[in-house]
Amino acid sequence: MRAMGPEESWRIVESQRYAIADIMEALDPARWELPSLCAEWRVRDVVAHLVLGAQRLRAPVIFQGAVRARGNFHRMNRDLAVAYASRPIQVLVAELRRGAASREVPVVTNYRNILFDVLVHGQDITVPLGVELAIPSSAGLAAADTVWNLRWPMWTQKKFRGLRFVATDVPWTAGSGLEVRGSIAALLLTLAGRAAALDQLDGDGVDDLRSRVVPSRPVTKLNRTF
């Protein structure tokens, strides 16, 4: 399967953002507060993160967030999302839809990371809601390549050393060792640290894999202003 270029990647990012906005607009408000697949993030927080991902955040906002999080990238990301998520549901949906076609790229990232981010966070939202949001195979393959080659802050290859991942629906493999097989969508979620897709995988390496993917922790409330 050929590599995915920026134009095709941005088209899929746009379509995923619109699809998520449509899903969230039709959702009962109580379900916005459910835990997502992303540890310690509500569904609402993940939507807010996607809204922020289509914007160019001001340097002072990023700097202040980094200071508050004491340099912890994951904590800073969550803090910014939780603070922004305090906006009304209608505002978050409108902003997600308005920014769907945005090609803004936050600092220290690129379009490949945006594609990976939108695909995984779309599943973070929809899987616990029991709503299907399809991941195009070509996009899943591109995103799996991205996460597999990520170093900071995920260090994917180090985390999954000794395992060989094999997609059963597209020509994609990564790593070496005990084999783990499954669809590219299930592999993508697992490589991104989500335990939700583990039951969709098989192979001699699955038991080992389970010990390396930690289930999402309960959501804790965080009071911050954006």
Side-chain angles (χ1 to χ4, degrees):
M1 186 175 291
R2 64 181 176 81
M4 180 175 290
E7 287 301 319
E8 188 176 359
S9 296
W10 282 120
R11 285 197 297 271
I12 291 174
V13 166
E14 180 179 351
S15 68
Q16 289 274 309
R17 286 170 172 165
Y18 275 127
I20 294 167
D22 290 343
I23 290 167
M24 299 310 300
E25 187 172 43
L27 204 63
D28 184 282
R31 302 186 76 195
W32 279 69
E33 310 304 323
L34 293 175
S36 75
L37 295 186
C38 192
E40 298 189 349
W41 294 49
R42 299 167 298 173
V43 166
R44 173 189 287 273
D45 303 327
V46 182
V47 174
H49 172 76
L50 292 177
V51 171
L52 290 172
Q55 303 174 7
R56 186 176 293 277
L57 291 180
R58 293 173 289 118
V61 172
I62 296 174
F63 177 74
Q64 291 168 11
V67 170
R68 288 171 178 161
R70 299 181 180 180
N72 184 305
F73 174 80
H74 294 294
R75 187 179 302 158
M76 180 193 75
N77 231 1
R78 176 177 176 264
D79 288 359
L80 290 173
V82 170
Y84 205 86
S86 64
R87 285 159 171 71
I89 287 172
Q90 297 87 344
V91 172
L92 291 172
V93 170
E95 288 190 346
L96 182 57
R97 188 170 282 121
R98 187 163 56 247
S102 170
R103 297 192 177 190
E104 291 285 358
V105 178
V107 180
V108 303
T109 191
N110 54 54
Y111 76 88
R112 296 180 183 87
N113 291 340
I114 296 293
L115 176 65
F116 159 67
D117 193 69
V118 169
L119 291 178
V120 171
H121 283 312
Q123 299 301 303
D124 286 338
I125 292 167
T126 56
V127 169
L129 294 175
V131 178
E132 183 176 356
L133 177 62
I135 293 179
S137 295
S138 58
L141 187 153
D145 274 341
T146 295
V147 68
W148 180 253
N149 290 299
L150 274 179
R151 294 188 178 182
W152 179 88
M154 298 186 72
W155 304 102
T156 310
Q157 293 186 33
K158 180 179 179 180
K159 180 178 181 180
F160 295 113
R161 184 177 292 133
L163 296 174
R164 179 173 184 262
F165 296 92
V166 180
T168 54
D169 54 346
V170 294
W172 186 85
T173 62
S176 61
L178 296 173
E179 193 166 286
V180 175
R181 299 181 299 274
S183 69
I184 194 65
L187 292 178
L188 173 62
L189 279 185
T190 303
L191 292 172
R194 278 53 168 177
L198 286 172
D199 289 342
Q200 301 173 39
L201 304 175
D202 58 31
D204 295 338
V206 170
D207 287 341
D208 187 348
L209 177 63
R210 288 183 186 278
S211 68
R212 308 192 200 190
V213 181
V214 180
S216 297
R217 297 182 296 278
V219 173
T220 57
K221 188 174 181 180
L222 184 69
N223 292 317
R224 290 277 169 83
T225 58
F226 188 87

